[in-house]
Amino acid sequence: MPELPEVETTRAGLAPHCEGRGIRSVTLRRPDLRWPIPKEIKKHLPSQTILSVRRRAKYLLIDTAPGSALLHLGMSGCLRVLPATTRIEKHDHVDIALDNDTVIRFTDPRRFGCLLWQPVGETHSLLQHLGPEPLSDDFDGNFLYELSRGKRSPVKHFLMDQSIVVGVGNIYAAESLFQSGIAPQREAGSISRARYAALATSVKSILSYAIARGGTTLRDFLNADGAPGYFEQELFVYGREGEACKVCGKPIQNLRMGNRASAWCKKCQK
C-alpha cells in the first residue's frame, strides 16, 4: 500500500496543475470504490475552484469552498493529471475535468481506494482520531516517550499506530528502527527517552529523504506524472530478508509480527 512519501509525492505532483483551476465536471464511471461515492461529489464540485491540494496522513484532500474531496489511493490507486482527450482505460473510475482541458483521473484496479466528501468546517470521521504528522514539530522523542509509558506492545506496532503518529507504515517503520538501532520486537514502554529521540529523528530524516527521492517503488505505485518512485534501491532492511546487512554483513532476519514480516538486523538492532 502506498505510504506517506508516495502520497506526498502524488500531492506535490498534482498541486501545481490543479490549484487555482476551475472544475468543469465530475465523471463517475462506477458508484463506489471501497465505499459508495457520496452524492455531494457530483453536486458540489462542478463550477468550484480548487483552493488547495493537501495531505493528511495517507489521505489527499482537494479543497473547494463548500468542502473537500477526500481520497485514499488504497493498494493500487493512482491520481494523474492528463489531457482530457486521453483514452479511458478499464480501471479509470473517476475524472475531475478542469477548465484547461485536463482531467484529474483516479485509476484503481483493486478498488480499495476511496472518494469521499468532507464539508467545509468539518473533519471526516476517518481523520478525527489521527495522531500528529511525523514531519511536524508536534512529533519528537519526548512525545513518543510519554505516550509509550506502560505499553507492552512491540515498538514497531506502537510506531505504526495511526493514533500515535500518522503515515509511518511497514516500510518506513522498519527502516527507522534499523537506523536508530532499536529491535522491532522491543516493548514500547521499555525504551528510553534518548532512544526515542533517536527514533523520532530517524523517522523524520528517512521520510524526508524518501519524499525528496519520490517515494518507494511498489508494484502498483506511480507518481502523478506516471513515473515510479526511486527510493527502493536504498532500503537497508525492508524486503532484504536473508541478504547481508549493509552495515555489519550479518543476514537480515525475517521476524513475523502479527500478519506482517518485519525485517531487521539482529546485530545492529537491540
Side-chain angles (χ1 to χ4, degrees):
M1 182 176 291
E3 297 200 36
L4 186 151
E6 289 76 54
V7 181
E8 178 60 24
T9 299
T10 298
R11 186 209 64 78
L14 290 175
H17 302 287
C18 302
E19 292 180 343
R21 304 240 64 105
I23 298 174
R24 286 180 175 169
S25 64
V26 176
T27 300
L28 305 178
R29 299 189 180 90
R30 57 177 301 113
D32 59 0
L33 292 167
R34 183 175 183 180
W35 299 296
I37 300 172
K39 62 182 184 299
E40 288 86 350
I41 294 294
K42 290 203 71 170
K43 179 180 179 181
H44 294 313
L45 281 184
S47 301
Q48 296 297 323
T49 297
I50 295 177
L51 304 176
S52 63
V53 180
R54 294 184 292 127
R55 179 191 55 76
R56 177 67 172 116
K58 299 178 186 179
Y59 294 91
L60 290 169
L61 295 101
I62 299 176
D63 296 328
T64 67
S68 305
L70 176 67
L71 300 109
H72 194 288
L73 299 178
M75 295 183 70
S76 60
C78 69
L79 283 166
R80 292 169 293 163
V81 178
L82 303 169
T85 55
T86 302
R87 185 176 68 179
I88 298 166
E89 303 292 347
K90 178 180 179 181
H91 301 297
D92 295 340
H93 303 309
V94 178
D95 275 359
I96 300 174
L98 305 181
D99 59 7
N100 62 345
D101 296 320
T102 64
V103 297
I104 305 171
R105 179 161 292 172
F106 189 11
T107 304
D108 188 3
R110 300 182 193 175
R111 300 199 306 274
F112 287 161
C114 70
L115 173 57
L116 302 171
W117 179 253
Q118 176 177 279
V120 67
E122 298 183 18
T123 301
H124 195 280
S125 59
L126 290 172
L127 308 182
Q128 286 179 356
H129 303 292
L130 296 176
E133 292 286 331
L135 299 179
S136 71
D137 292 339
D138 294 328
F139 176 73
D140 60 15
N142 289 328
F143 173 83
L144 287 175
Y145 177 80
E146 296 298 335
L147 286 185
S148 68
R149 295 307 86 189
K151 293 191 179 295
R152 302 186 64 180
S153 60
V155 64
K156 187 177 181 186
H157 291 173
F158 174 71
L159 187 61
M160 293 174 61
D161 184 340
Q162 299 298 290
S163 68
I164 302 297
V165 58
V166 301
V168 186
N170 197 26
I171 297 172
Y172 298 102
E175 293 296 306
S176 298
L177 287 165
F178 174 79
Q179 187 179 90
S180 56
I182 299 173
Q185 71 272 32
R186 283 282 304 275
E187 287 188 5
S190 72
I191 295 170
S192 69
R193 190 184 298 269
R195 299 196 79 192
Y196 270 125
L199 178 58
T201 297
S202 294
V203 169
K204 287 176 180 286
S205 65
I206 287 173
L207 287 176
S208 296
Y209 186 67
I211 289 168
R213 294 286 285 158
T216 303
T217 302
L218 302 177
R219 181 176 58 193
D220 297 311
F221 173 71
L222 295 174
N223 288 342
D225 64 359
Y230 296 99
F231 185 65
E232 183 181 35
Q233 63 187 358
E234 301 169 57
L235 296 174
F236 278 80
V237 289
Y238 181 86
R240 299 190 63 247
E241 294 88 343
E243 298 180 27
C245 174
K246 296 179 180 180
V247 174
C248 72
K250 298 292 185 182
I252 298 297
Q253 304 293 307
N254 182 13
L255 175 68
R256 298 299 300 184
M257 299 182 65
N259 294 323
R260 290 184 170 180
S262 187
W264 71 298
C265 177
K266 193 172 183 179
K267 182 174 181 180
C268 294
Q269 296 173 258
K270 304 296 182 183

